[in-house]
Structures are given as structure tokens and as C-alpha cells.
């Protein structure tokens, strides 16, 4: 039987399964199940697959909270666009906003302290990729994505957008300071 021509027997699904076909279906099924159970396993053992929460919200509500934090904890501004650098206290909620084609504001965190990091897009899908750490999070419009983060090493980290988001996608980068 070829996939290009229609099957000679119209009711082909009543034919018995070939042994070879059954074998491959089982191989694929077992592999799917292995991968499925690897996800929780990697979360618990490999420290992959972040434990995050997501809440439905609106751009206005999210931006209002982000603006409050920026107003309170901005320590300086950077780049030509005068992006505020926010240095929040330990344990506080910090907001990072993605929009065409910027990250706002710039965050400055401290080693060994925990923060509630909120991520949201104001327009459409972006991707939060933290370099050189292997952290990737999809940033959705309409969802406040919350992660508890504790930086372990000081340095200047790069944030790049890793979901193609339009003509200036390649310029959508920022940084994250860890003191
Ligand atoms: Cu983007």
C-alpha cells in the first residue's frame, strides 16, 4: 500500500495489525512513557524543569505593580533608553516585563537571597533565556509567571529573547546583575 494512492480496500482499519506495526507502536509508546516520567524525575533529581506558578492578569494590572517596584527601588538608570535598574530587598516581589523589543526594568539581585520573580509579556509571546545559565521560560501575554529565585553566583548575566517576536527580535536583550 502506498500513501500516495488511496487504499485498495476502503475499510482498511479492520485489517489485522501487522507484527512489525505493533512492535513499532509499542516501541514508540514505551519511549513516550519514559520521556513523560523523566520530566518529574529531572525536576526532583536533575534540578531541571522549574517549579513555577502562573496567574491570569492584565497588562494594566501587571504594569501597575511593576511600576510600584520601579518607583520604590530604582538605584540608577542605564542605556540610552534610561532603563531603571531596580535593586529590591530580599524576599520581595520583582517584576520583569517583556514587550516589543525590550526587557524592563533591569534587575540587580544579591547572591544567596531569594526573590519572587514575576515575568509577563505585554504584547505577545517572548522567551526569557538567562545566559550563561541554562534557564528558559516562555513569557506569555496575560499570564503572570512567578518563580522563586536565589542567585548563587555573582556576575552580570545576559537575558535574551528566545522566541522569535518580530523584526527587532535580535535586539531584545538585557542584563541581570547579581552582587
Ligand atoms: Cu521577544
Amino acid at each position: 500500500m502506498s500513501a500516495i494512492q488511496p487504499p485498495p480496500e476502503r475499510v482498511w482499519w479492520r485489517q489485522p495489525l501487522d507484527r512489525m506495526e505493533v512492535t513499532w507502536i509499542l516501541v514508540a509508546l514505551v519511549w513516550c512513557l519514559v520521556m513523560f516520567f523523566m520530566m518529574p524525575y529531572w525536576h526532583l533529581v536533575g534540578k531541571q524543569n522549574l517549579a513555577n506558578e502562573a496567574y491570569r492578569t492584565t497588562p494594566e494590572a501587571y504594569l501597575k505593580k511593576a511600576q510600584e517596584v520601579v518607583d520604590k527601588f530604582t538605584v540608577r538608570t542605564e542605556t540610552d533608553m534610561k532603563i531603571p535598574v531596580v535593586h529590591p530587598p530580599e524576599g520581595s516581589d520583582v517584576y520583569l516585563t517583556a514587550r516589543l523589543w525590550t526587557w524592563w526594568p533591569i534587575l540587580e539581585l544579591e547572591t544567596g537571597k531569594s526573590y519572587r520573580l514575576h515575568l509577563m509579556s505585554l504584547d505577545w509571546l517572548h522567551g526569557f533565556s538567562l545566559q550563561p545559565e541554562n534557564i528558559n521560560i516562555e513569557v506569555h501575554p496575560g499570564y503572570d509567571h512567578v518563580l522563586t529565585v536565589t542567585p548563587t553566583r555573582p556576575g552580570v548575566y545576559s537575558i535574551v529573547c528566545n522566541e522569535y517576536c518580530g523584526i527587532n527580535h535580535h535586539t531584545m536583550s538585557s542584563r541581570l546583575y547579581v552582587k
Side-chain angles (χ1 to χ4, degrees), residues 101 125-127 161 163 165 169 172:
W101 287 278
L125 193 64
H126 296 283
C161 178
E163 289 282 352
C165 59
H169 165 65
M172 191 168 166

Side-chain angles (χ1 to χ4, degrees), residues 98-103 123-127 160-166 168-169 172:
R99 71 196 320 177
L100 300 171
W101 287 278
T102 52
W103 298 96
D123 33 54
W124 57 63
L125 193 64
H126 296 283
V160 294
C161 178
N162 64 357
E163 289 282 352
Y164 180 71
C165 59
N168 273 335
H169 165 65
M172 191 168 166

Side-chain angles (χ1 to χ4, degrees), residues 31-48:
W31 186 241
C32 283
L33 289 173
V34 168
M35 303 245 280
F36 179 78
F37 287 107
M38 281 306 275
M39 283 193 282
Y41 175 76
W42 275 323
H43 174 72
L44 297 167
V45 179
K47 302 211 164 148
Q48 291 190 28

Side-chain angles (χ1 to χ4, degrees), residues 101-122:
W101 287 278
T102 52
W103 298 96
W104 183 91
I106 294 171
L107 303 175
E108 189 174 76
L109 309 178
E110 287 181 35
T111 313
K113 296 188 176 171
S114 295
Y115 305 86
R116 297 258 300 163
L117 175 63
H118 297 250
L119 290 164
M120 191 170 111
S121 162
L122 298 186

